[in-house]
Amino acid sequence: MATKVLVVEDEVNIAELLRLYLEREGYEVVTAGDGGKGVALFEQEKPDIVLLDIMLPVMDGWQVLKEIRSSSKTPVIMLTARGETEDKVNGLESGADDYIVKPFDGKEVIARIRAVLRRYGGTEQDSGKKLTFDNLVIDMEAFELIIKGEHVDIPPKEMELLYHLASSPNRVYTRNQLLDEVWGFDYFGDSRTVDVHIKRLREKLEGVSDKWSLKTVWGVGYKFELLAK
Ligand code: CA
């Protein structure tokens, strides 16, 4: 049975974006546009996890969380606006399991959901989004980059870009393809963004292995190249 996610969010665009991301990953999604409906749907649908906005009509996210916690330990991830640091603390103290700062990144949302569900144990299947190369592990499940056995901090977009390239070794991607496929429709930048991210990735990956490399294909774009011995 698919993992069921309840999204409580009054901004229709955000709710639909979340639905898109989640359904693409095989989750079943139910949405509520205000806090009251959120509580009602929670009781009716018995979701495996809840994504809960804070500023909501009828009943705000904190009240919804309180209602949920009065009867259930179902994991709840709060959706907060950027800079609401107090909200984060408040959220975690009042029984939320994690928080995601808006504007969020689809892959980060998925990674957070997986991490929280894993903590609760068992309802989540391993989708195997983990790539392993010589001295390099790109783990999209845990959103972790491991170089020579060491965890390396990496911004989400760099991680996604690396994962995208390394998922199809030796395939050449143009900058525009990468912008489309990694940054997606919510992005309004230009192809230099790709170059900047590649440059930062190279700084992290330089000299790590002689079996693969992040290569520029002049006049075309980039590829993750596996080198024959
Ligand atoms: Ca809202």
Side-chain angles (χ1 to χ4, degrees):
M1 228 170 67
T3 301
K4 194 190 278 185
V5 185
L6 169 61
V7 175
V8 189
E9 167 64 77
D10 58 319
E11 282 164 75
V12 177
N13 291 341
I14 295 179
E16 284 310 303
L17 195 60
L18 283 168
R19 177 190 291 283
L20 194 81
Y21 288 143
L22 293 165
E23 287 184 345
R24 201 165 54 194
E25 296 292 322
Y27 293 98
E28 187 184 339
V29 180
V30 284
T31 58
D34 68 57
K37 288 199 184 99
V39 172
L41 266 186
F42 178 80
E43 279 156 16
Q44 189 185 320
E45 297 283 342
K46 308 204 184 325
D48 299 293
I49 185 164
V50 182
L51 297 184
L52 179 57
D53 185 31
I54 294 171
M55 300 296 285
L56 288 167
V58 182
M59 189 189 272
D60 74 13
W62 303 125
Q63 281 176 279
V64 174
L65 179 61
K66 217 168 138 189
E67 288 292 323
I68 289 175
R69 280 288 165 272
S70 70
S71 66
S72 147
K73 289 193 169 68
T74 301
V76 176
I77 298 178
M78 306 301 287
L79 303 171
T80 79
R82 191 173 290 285
E84 288 176 321
T85 333
E86 275 176 33
D87 282 347
K88 290 173 192 171
V89 177
N90 199 353
L92 297 174
E93 278 177 358
S94 55
D97 296 275
D98 202 352
Y99 57 87
I100 292 168
V101 179
K102 291 194 248 185
F104 49 73
D105 176 278
K107 287 181 182 139
E108 190 195 352
V109 172
I110 301 294
R112 297 282 184 124
I113 289 176
R114 291 208 170 109
V116 167
L117 287 174
R118 210 165 27 234
R119 283 212 298 275
Y120 276 76
T123 52
E124 178 70 1
Q125 324 83 329
D126 186 357
S127 71
K129 287 196 163 182
K130 186 170 166 179
L131 302 173
T132 305
F133 301 94
D134 179 48
N135 286 336
L136 177 70
V137 179
I138 308 161
D139 185 349
M140 289 304 283
E141 285 254 315
F143 228 75
E144 253 184 1
L145 178 67
I146 297 164
I147 295 176
K148 293 185 169 174
E150 302 275 336
H151 173 93
V152 174
D153 282 330
I154 181 168
K157 277 290 173 256
E158 279 178 50
M159 181 77 171
E160 287 163 35
L161 179 61
L162 178 60
Y163 179 78
H164 200 76
L165 289 165
S167 300
S168 305
N170 300 327
R171 181 179 155 190
V172 181
Y173 290 87
T174 67
R175 289 172 178 79
N176 280 333
Q177 275 173 333
L178 291 169
L179 270 181
D180 268 6
E181 292 164 15
V182 177
W183 275 262
F185 54 85
D186 53 346
Y187 184 73
F188 308 95
D190 65 46
S191 59
R192 273 172 304 187
T193 305
V194 177
D195 300 338
V196 170
H197 282 74
I198 291 279
K199 181 166 171 280
R200 291 187 190 139
L201 276 173
R202 284 221 174 97
E203 286 163 7
K204 294 181 175 72
L205 300 174
E206 200 176 350
V208 169
S209 171
D210 56 6
K211 299 202 171 62
W212 49 262
S213 83
L214 204 52
K215 209 168 171 194
T216 304
V217 182
W218 295 109
V220 186
Y222 297 104
K223 67 175 170 179
F224 183 88
E225 187 175 53
L226 286 181
L227 305 159
K229 283 222 273 186

